[in-house]
Amino acid sequence: MIGRCIGETSLVEVSFISKEMPKVGEYVTLEYDGLVVLGMIESMVRGSISLSGDIYDPDTVAKIKEIEGDDYYIKGKITILGNVNDNLKIPRTPAPPGTPIYQASKEILDKIFEMKNSLKLGHLISQEDVEVGVDINKMVSRHLAILAMTGAGKSNTVSVIIDGLLKYNGCILVFDMHSEYVDANFTNGTVNIIEPIINPNYMDFSEIKKLTNIPSNATLQERYFRRAFKKAKENIQKSLVDTTDFLEIIHDILDEWYKDDEYDTSNKKNILDVMNKIDDLQTKYDKLFNTNIGNILTQIKPGMANVLDLGQVDENTAEVLVAHVLRNSLKSRKQYIRYQNEDALSVPLFFIVEEAHILAPQNRNPGSKYWITRIAREGRKFGLGLCLVSQSPKSVDAETLAQANNMIILRLVEPKDQKHVQTASENLSEDLVKQLPSLNIGEAMVLGLMTKVPTLVKIDEFKGRQRGGDLNIIDQWTKQKTNDIEELQLELKDFKDLGGDY
């Protein structure tokens, strides 16, 4: 027994007093009225009746402590999680004041965290012998957010999840903004790298328009560009072109119109402006388009960690690529589910969106944000899951973040980040928020439908090779100096061999 209930109790929380020192996040049980009720310690204070806050002399404190010794009390608050023997249903009567509180046994906790087809995340922080798994179906279908400050363990957590899904032949697509996973080494599967290349035949006009920077008020320019885009796709499909360079095809179509006497000077100026923008596109994005490849979705392979390598492109291109993949994925899955189209995407897909604050930002509306939000709202019905990963939660679109019914929150110190996350999650109480700055690297708060109860977890360490950690700056500098010295010595040796003197 670690303490007893005091004061007024309710169906959802009780206060307790103790002489022991339990841990915040530890599970406890209360036994009353024939029930065994599980609870979690969410907050705790230690105090002394004699050493009150009204004492202002350190010598007085020393004298009282010499007389009374370590005479202190521990008070705290426990959130009620439910009846252990009734599928964690909240009991209909509160615990009587004075009810004993016990540390939850390993047997009870093993029963709570036991589930079929689970993904093992790690173990309880408070009890290392209790493993923690999450329900894969609920994690994927109800979406997930992994949030933390830089260096708290996001990449390790993502890698543990990917490796766990590969164990079940999962189909994962990572939007890898910094090329962290392109050479990862997973225990349960391999990496399939997808280059950032689009077949324009499968593009939507709004996607390519994003890259041209045509002003919103330049309606005539947009009109000519839209017509040229449509005609270029038709010419490719009818094999009426000699080149596979999509931008060159569009440029040639516009050039024909520019030379056509049907267009007056005003229209020709707008056509010329679009041609100049196409020239800029060719300079910036000549490697982005390829008419010889298929739909980018055909490159996705089940049972592998599919990684779309966005580390080599700018943010505009990344936003277009993500929007393109998500739009086509949703369209393809609808065709498969509704019409059993054999050419459509036939397996459920779990998207991992790295740098979610860039691709689904709070204060901008790129195409990637629109389609991420669409997947968050509609994806569950078509087997498309979403995982948002960010070190700046306050910069992630609030509506999109609120669609994530599961969260893994590692250390968060910034108050605005904490407030933003709490607003998005109905499961994150004020007391739990206060614990976020005290989490160590690799420790996380796990909430949502994928777990039966809120949990403080020490995430397993990913054993495979992966980038993403901090560089050893001193080592890099030292290595450079060593290389410079060795190069100088070789030059001196060559000079001496030629008979030089120094």
Side-chain angles (χ1 to χ4, degrees), residues 100-119:
I101 298 168
Y102 301 92
Q103 183 184 53
S105 67
K106 184 179 185 304
E107 290 74 24
I108 287 178
L109 294 177
D110 284 339
K111 179 181 177 181
I112 295 296
F113 292 107
E114 181 183 9
M115 59 185 75
K116 293 182 179 179
N117 299 328
S118 69
L119 187 153

Side-chain angles (χ1 to χ4, degrees), residues 298 332-347:
T298 61
S332 185
R333 284 296 293 169
K334 285 181 178 180
Q335 290 175 341
Y336 182 79
I337 295 294
R338 291 173 176 172
Y339 310 112
Q340 295 298 302
N341 187 335
E342 294 182 358
D343 296 326
L345 190 60
S346 60
V347 293

